[in-house]
Amino acid sequence: MPFAKPKLSELLNESDVEQKFVYPFLVAEKPFGLELPSEGIVTKRNVRKFIIDKGAQQKSYFPDYLVVRGNLPLLVVEVKERGSDLREAFREARLYAAELNAMFPAKLNPLNKVLATNGDHLYAGHFDQAEPALILSYSDIDPYSAKLDELYKFLGTESLEDEYLRISELVKPHRYWKPRRLVGGSSVQSDVVGYNSFGATISADLAHVFNPIRREDRAYVAREGYVPSIRRDRYVEPIDQVMRASAPGSQAHAQLISDTSKGTEISKIMSSPRQLEHQVLLIVGGAGAGKTTFIDRLQEVSLSKDVRDQTVWVHINMNTAPVSHAEVYDFLRREIVRGLRAAYPELDFDDFDTLKAVYSVEANRFQKGLGKLLESNPEKYNIELYQTLKDADADLHTRAACHCRHLGNERKKLVVIVLDNCDKRTLDEQLLMFEAAQWVQSEFRALVVLPLRDETYDNFREKPPLDTALKDMVFRIEPPPFHHVLVTRIQLALNQLAKNAPKSYKFDLPNGFKIEYAATDQAYYLTSMVRSVFEHDHQIRRMLDGLSGRNLRVAFELFQEFCRSGHITEDLIVNIRQNRGEYTLPLSVVLAILLRKSFRFYDSDRGHLKNLTDIDTKDARPSYFTRLMILRWLDVKFSEAGPTGLKGYFPLRDVISELSMYGLDPKAIRREVEYLVKARCAVAEDFRTDGISDEDLIRLAPAGFVHLELINNTYYWSAIAEDTWFSDDLVAKRVAGRIGDISQHYNTETVLYNAKEVVGYLQDQRNKESAIVNSILDKNRFDALTDLSMAQVGIGKLQRSLTTGPWAEVFDKYPPGAITKGTIVNAEPFGLFVEVYPGVTGLLHVSKLPRSFATNETFDIGAEIPVKVLSADPPKRRMSLAYVK
């Protein structure tokens, strides 16, 4: 922004110099100012204090501004009131810089530039030089001043950026290793476990139940497998409460359907169908909340027979609609004609009498008008009548209006035009669909039913075109709990399988549901899948709910993917068949499916569950905690009202403003926010997944909550270890060694050790970043936003489950490389057994002993010797030792 410096007479005190002069000058664009990014300027409210000077002059000091980039302090700014001793201010700022530089490795000295001003003059120089390199007067702060140009070159944004990149290159690791890339060539790294043919066949055979697309399949599910959303049953468990909280607050502005299986609220207004012509009825709900299924249910079951007899329904799939004003209206005209003709299969629309009936008004108008002149010439009359009907049929709008009139109004029926699948589109496209719905309402004698996302309605109900919607024609539905819908659809599928298999079995789920299934292999398999979901309900069902974000379509896609996964191997399928469906998949298998999909190795970009500690090694200062900090920041803000009044919605610039203080690069924050939005961990106000600007509002999504809960899941961290860039090649190679052996890849010991490797490594990285942040900022939330203590808790639980007694202590007390003292308790030709801890004995092989150990009393039984732990396997109670001289 252009900067107009204030008059000196306006700078009455130090605060005036700060707020009216210095800060605007720091952020003003070149050539008016230094063009420093505002998010990198830390104010004295957050800057850490240091004790500077000696003797009587010693004092606690902090500057007015500190310019930070990627955890590196680059410029200190001291501001004084007019007339103050600027040399003293410059000296104090230099002393502060020296103290802060002492927190970094020797000779790094990132805080090299110092700026001091009292409004009258400005001193700029290096922290280790007593005299300023540049002195500017108030008159020099001018875009045409050569001295201002010198100052910009010395400590403007380009100069500090160059310094940041130079220092970053010195402290950044020169190379990173990813375990997944160390196990072999690209073909091995992309190894696919694929699908198990048994599950894939079932998934394909029953797709019409889980994901009905054809109108007849949807009608069947609506009639036979509909699960109502009833007010008293909604959202009773924690993840459900989270998802309810994440839903926009349309409750006050749309009438809630209290029981979606009956739809009484809509049935009432449709009791007089003809009065609903030229109206728009909105069905508001989340994406995948079951709006289309609810409308199908309304049409097939809920409405009384009298009302159904007085209505004719046209369903238009807006997924295929063009998204431009120029094309969408002709698309709707064609679809209205197609839908109405499909509703009357008994009519032959190629027959002349049918066509004449459709265009009867146009034919009668011709007969009463110009046709009177041709009554004496039947041949000419027929030619003109033909042309009249042809013109009417050729005009898309006339054709659609005539079909509505003849097949609806003239038969005393209300035409109901349903615009399905509008909520799959972006915000702008949804608003276009509403405009199109209004156009259909005004042009045709019909009731238009428009399903709309709740976020769209809430955020834009007071703005055109939504502000024209009649409030008593807006209804809201909430999705039923996914596990209720899953059980019902499973039973529907099993009923179909049972048609040719009379013998059946029953079992009870932990939540009280009863499942009845046929004695067929397919039924066994399907019941085992749903049993596995409910057996591990606390983790798996919650994950499916959260990852789908109340979207039933996505939840069923996840369940189908689960069913056909190649991680369900032949031996597991044999167990399922032998146990007649009463077999639960191990939790490790279920998690492997969700983490890895159809691949052998975990890859964050391909899986449903993302790596929250991933880095881009091309960044100047990569931070492992960017994604985690973004989600936790949004989590803290989730219940707060944002600038527009919507809870949890905050502009991206607010995220950047705070997190950049902790060393995160604004570019990296923007990139990772888009990554998280595409992963459904966060949601933008207008549903876009790319091109999100700093002003766009974002909020934590249910999948984001799921990922934050995964912090305490050791299986998650074990998978993360495969796809993490390590700067320590030894750590990466140890992880790669464990996952390279396919027979050991998924066993519990591998899970534990790999989780410990990555969490331990990340904890070290966190400690380093925390030390830097806390050296710069006085009060901050870095430690809370990057906390990994729950990961350690989860690892501890798995450790204790693998072994008991004193060996449980080995994981933490005796890691590889640890040096301790032990007592020799036994001697064998191949080595000595040394007890390093009561009940914990390791082998000291002869190859790790001096040649003369057999005759050296130092190695007698009962002697205490120093040893180094080479390896430890507590689950197998094994330890390998080496003698330390």
Side-chain angles (χ1 to χ4, degrees):
M1 63 182 76
F3 167 61
K5 64 184 179 182
K7 296 178 180 178
L8 284 174
S9 59
E10 297 176 7
L11 306 180
L12 303 178
N13 51 45
E14 183 177 318
S15 179
D16 285 343
V17 179
E18 273 185 48
Q19 303 300 322
K20 297 179 181 179
F21 179 48
V22 177
Y23 185 83
F25 173 65
L26 293 176
V27 299
E29 63 186 21
K30 183 186 178 182
F32 302 94
L34 300 181
E35 206 171 2
L36 301 176
S38 59
E39 61 267 17
I41 300 177
V42 183
T43 63
K44 58 186 174 184
R45 182 178 59 183
N46 301 108
V47 172
R48 178 181 170 180
K49 298 178 182 178
F50 282 113
I51 301 297
I52 64 170
D53 236 327
K54 299 177 181 179
Q57 290 184 301
Q58 189 178 82
K59 65 179 180 179
S60 177
Y61 171 86
F62 56 91
D64 293 280
Y65 299 108
L66 197 62
V67 178
V68 179
R69 179 88 157 83
N71 262 348
L72 294 176
L74 301 172
L75 170 66
V76 58
V77 181
E78 175 61 23
V79 181
K80 295 293 185 183
E81 63 181 340
R82 292 186 62 202
S84 298
D85 183 352
L86 202 52
R87 285 196 172 274
E88 178 61 17
F90 185 73
R91 187 184 74 85
E92 290 178 345
R94 286 179 48 245
L95 291 174
Y96 179 87
E99 291 295 329
L100 186 49
N101 282 333
M103 306 294 290
F104 291 83
K107 301 181 180 179
L108 190 62
N109 298 327
L111 186 50
N112 183 41
K113 303 293 177 65
V114 178
L115 181 67
T117 181
N118 59 9
D120 296 306
H121 292 88
L122 187 150
Y123 287 6
H126 299 279
F127 89 100
D128 55 356
Q129 293 182 348
E131 293 298 320
L134 292 171
I135 298 178
L136 283 76
S137 67
Y138 171 81
S139 60
D140 291 324
I141 309 302
D142 185 277
Y144 301 101
S145 165
K147 281 195 172 183
L148 179 58
D149 187 56
E150 286 184 53
L151 180 68
Y152 182 85
K153 291 177 181 178
F154 182 66
L155 46 70
T157 187
E158 294 175 9
S159 172
L160 295 187
E161 182 68 14
D162 289 343
E163 186 71 359
Y164 166 70
L165 294 176
R166 182 188 69 81
I167 298 172
S168 296
E169 192 63 28
L170 295 176
V171 297
K172 178 183 175 181
H174 295 295
R175 188 176 175 186
Y176 292 91
W177 292 265
K178 181 175 284 190
R180 178 167 56 81
R181 300 192 178 186
L182 298 176
V183 295
S186 57
S187 61
V188 175
Q189 296 168 27
S190 301
D191 194 10
V192 176
V193 297
Y195 299 119
N196 75 75
S197 57
F198 194 79
T201 300
I202 295 175
S203 180
D205 289 346
L206 298 175
H208 65 287
V209 174
F210 295 124
N211 185 26
I213 297 174
R214 296 187 307 163
R215 180 75 190 91
E216 51 268 38
D217 293 333
R218 286 168 38 195
Y220 171 70
V221 170
R223 288 192 305 270
E224 307 297 333
Y226 189 74
V227 177
S229 179
I230 302 174
R231 184 192 300 266
R232 64 178 179 274
D233 290 342
R234 295 183 183 118
Y235 311 107
V236 294
E237 297 196 17
I239 189 67
D240 301 316
Q241 294 169 359
V242 163
M243 290 191 289
R244 185 179 190 181
S246 71
S250 58
Q251 289 87 339
H253 309 288
Q255 187 176 173
L256 176 66
I257 305 297
S258 58
D259 184 345
T260 57
S261 67
K262 298 176 181 178
T264 305
E265 294 81 358
I266 294 181
S267 297
K268 285 181 180 178
I269 69 166
M270 292 192 71
S271 58
S272 301
R274 297 295 298 278
Q275 297 178 10
L276 296 176
E277 290 179 350
H278 298 298
Q279 298 284 352
V280 174
L281 188 151
L282 295 182
I283 304 294
V284 178
K291 297 187 291 296
T292 297
T293 308
F294 166 71
I295 295 168
D296 290 338
R297 173 78 177 187
L298 194 70
Q299 176 185 349
E300 297 291 333
V301 179
S302 302
L303 294 178
S304 67
K305 184 178 184 304
D306 289 342
V307 173
R308 290 202 300 272
D309 291 342
Q310 296 179 64
T311 55
V312 55
W313 294 70
V314 176
H315 291 262
I316 300 176
N317 182 7
M318 300 304 289
N319 265 344
T320 59
V323 290
S324 71
H325 287 82
E327 300 176 85
V328 71
Y329 300 110
D330 277 353
F331 168 84
L332 289 169
R333 293 178 177 113
R334 285 191 294 268
E335 288 299 302
I336 289 171
V337 172
R338 180 203 57 76
L340 284 168
R341 289 188 172 190
Y344 290 91
E346 71 277 8
L347 295 180
D348 182 358
F349 288 94
D350 294 325
D351 181 76
F352 172 72
D353 289 335
T354 303
L355 288 174
K356 189 175 179 182
V358 170
Y359 302 112
S360 60
V361 172
E362 287 68 25
N364 289 336
R365 187 182 299 122
F366 168 75
Q367 290 170 348
K368 293 177 181 179
L370 296 177
K372 289 277 189 185
L373 300 174
L374 300 175
E375 286 180 346
S376 60
N377 187 346
E379 183 178 351
K380 181 67 172 174
Y381 178 90
N382 287 336
I383 291 174
E384 292 299 326
L385 178 60
Y386 159 79
Q387 191 62 48
T388 298
L389 296 179
K390 182 181 178 182
D391 289 345
D393 192 59
D395 184 280
L396 271 179
H397 191 80
T398 302
R399 186 196 304 175
C402 289
H403 277 74
C404 274
R405 181 184 63 212
H406 175 64
L407 300 175
N409 180 253
E410 291 177 0
R411 294 168 183 260
K412 302 189 184 306
K413 289 178 179 285
L414 170 69
V415 177
V416 182
I417 299 174
V418 183
L419 305 183
D420 283 328
N421 297 319
C422 288
D423 65 346
K424 291 184 180 179
R425 296 176 175 273
T426 64
L427 172 63
D428 290 342
E429 292 168 357
Q430 285 188 67
L431 294 177
L432 171 60
M433 294 304 109
F434 185 77
E435 291 178 5
Q438 284 186 309
W439 173 81
V440 174
Q441 165 205 13
S442 63
E443 295 294 326
F444 301 100
R445 297 182 63 175
L447 168 67
V448 182
V449 179
L450 178 65
L452 202 65
R453 276 191 184 181
D454 43 14
E455 293 100 334
T456 305
Y457 179 72
D458 276 319
N459 296 347
F460 295 91
R461 59 185 170 77
E462 301 294 344
K463 302 175 183 177
L466 291 183
D467 59 339
T468 61
L470 295 177
K471 305 309 177 189
D472 57 356
M473 294 288 283
V474 181
F475 297 89
R476 179 171 59 88
I477 70 168
E478 292 180 351
F482 169 64
H483 50 289
H484 289 196
V485 182
L486 175 62
V487 170
T488 303
R489 295 284 180 92
I490 290 290
Q491 189 64 71
L492 204 61
L494 292 172
N495 290 343
Q496 293 198 356
L497 293 175
K499 289 179 180 178
N500 299 316
K503 189 176 181 181
S504 63
Y505 296 93
K506 294 181 181 180
F507 76 87
D508 296 332
L509 289 171
N511 60 3
F513 284 110
K514 295 182 183 295
I515 287 287
E516 183 173 350
Y517 59 102
T520 67
D521 287 347
Q522 285 187 320
Y524 293 155
Y525 186 86
L526 204 52
T527 53
S528 183
M529 296 302 101
V530 73
R531 183 189 290 274
S532 299
V533 170
F534 283 95
E535 184 72 22
H536 306 299
D537 182 75
H538 178 69
Q539 295 188 55
I540 305 307
R541 201 274 299 172
R542 288 159 60 85
M543 283 188 193
L544 291 176
D545 276 346
L547 289 174
S548 61
R550 302 191 309 151
N551 188 325
L552 297 179
R553 278 194 302 269
V554 175
F556 275 115
E557 289 171 5
L558 290 170
F559 180 73
Q560 287 178 278
E561 186 174 90
F562 174 71
C563 288
R564 60 178 180 260
S565 171
H567 289 286
I568 302 175
T569 53
E570 291 181 3
D571 59 318
L572 294 172
I573 295 174
V574 169
N575 282 333
I576 291 170
R577 295 174 67 182
Q578 289 178 342
N579 290 276
R580 296 179 177 179
E582 297 184 14
Y583 177 77
T584 301
L585 294 175
L587 178 61
S588 57
V589 174
V590 179
L591 287 171
I593 296 169
L594 289 175
L595 285 161
R596 296 175 171 85
K597 296 178 71 173
S598 61
F599 300 94
R600 177 185 164 192
F601 298 106
Y602 171 76
D603 183 341
S604 178
D605 294 338
R606 296 189 294 205
H608 296 298
L609 300 171
K610 304 302 181 181
N611 182 355
L612 293 187
T613 55
D614 194 22
I615 60 170
D616 188 331
T617 58
K618 296 188 293 294
D619 289 347
R621 295 273 287 165
S623 174
Y624 288 95
F625 305 102
T626 305
R627 293 176 186 172
L628 178 60
M629 293 173 74
I630 291 169
L631 290 185
R632 281 192 168 149
W633 190 92
L634 293 173
D635 187 23
V636 170
K637 297 287 187 180
F638 187 74
S639 299
E640 297 180 19
T644 63
L646 295 174
K647 285 189 176 181
Y649 277 102
F650 287 85
L652 175 55
R653 60 176 158 76
D654 286 5
V655 184
I656 294 172
S657 177
E658 180 167 348
L659 297 189
S660 60
M661 287 196 307
Y662 303 140
L664 302 188
D665 190 311
K667 292 180 181 177
I669 296 174
R670 295 183 184 98
R671 179 188 70 227
E672 299 305 339
V673 162
E674 289 200 0
Y675 185 90
L676 293 169
V677 168
K678 289 175 181 176
R680 295 197 290 267
C681 292
V683 60
E685 180 190 21
D686 60 0
F687 318 126
R688 281 185 295 118
T689 58
D690 51 26
I692 298 173
S693 73
D694 289 1
E695 302 307 313
D696 285 333
L697 303 181
I698 58 172
R699 187 199 63 194
L700 189 65
F705 285 101
V706 168
H707 280 76
L708 290 177
E709 286 188 346
L710 282 171
I711 297 299
N712 67 356
N713 190 300
T714 306
Y715 288 91
Y716 172 73
W717 287 111
S718 177
I720 295 303
E722 300 176 19
D723 195 47
T724 292
W725 289 108
F726 292 96
S727 59
D728 186 334
D729 63 323
L730 296 179
V731 175
K733 288 174 181 176
R734 286 198 297 269
V735 174
R738 297 187 190 103
I739 66 176
D741 183 353
I742 193 168
S743 66
Q744 303 294 319
H745 189 172
Y746 301 133
N747 69 29
T748 310
E749 288 83 0
T750 297
V751 168
L752 177 63
Y753 287 123
N754 282 353
K756 287 177 68 68
E757 292 277 19
V758 71
V759 172
Y761 173 83
L762 291 171
Q763 191 65 54
D764 289 343
Q765 300 300 311
R766 175 180 179 269
N767 292 341
K768 293 175 183 177
E769 290 189 35
S770 176
I772 296 175
V773 170
N774 286 298
S775 70
I776 297 172
L777 304 178
D778 184 21
K779 296 178 181 179
N780 65 82
R781 294 193 292 165
F782 178 84
D783 290 343
L785 292 173
T786 59
D787 181 38
L788 296 177
S789 60
M790 291 308 297
Q792 302 282 13
V793 169
I795 289 172
K797 287 182 179 178
L798 185 58
Q799 284 182 179
R800 291 189 292 275
S801 72
L802 289 177
T803 187
T804 57
W807 279 92
E809 306 292 325
V810 172
F811 288 107
D812 297 317
K813 288 188 175 182
Y814 303 103
I819 296 176
T820 185
K821 288 185 177 182
T823 302
I824 300 173
V825 294
N826 196 11
E828 296 290 346
F830 50 81
L832 305 175
F833 286 95
V834 180
E835 186 178 63
V836 298
Y837 185 78
V840 177
T841 300
L843 173 63
L844 180 53
H845 194 266
V846 291
S847 61
K848 306 298 181 183
L849 286 164
R851 292 183 180 180
S852 60
F853 85 94
T855 59
N856 190 333
E857 62 181 15
T858 301
F859 301 100
D860 289 346
I861 292 177
E864 188 178 69
I865 59 172
V867 292
K868 179 179 180 180
V869 178
L870 299 179
S871 64
D873 191 349
K876 296 178 181 176
R877 298 175 180 258
R878 296 175 182 173
M879 181 181 287
S880 178
L881 305 171
Y883 173 65
V884 179
K885 294 182 181 180

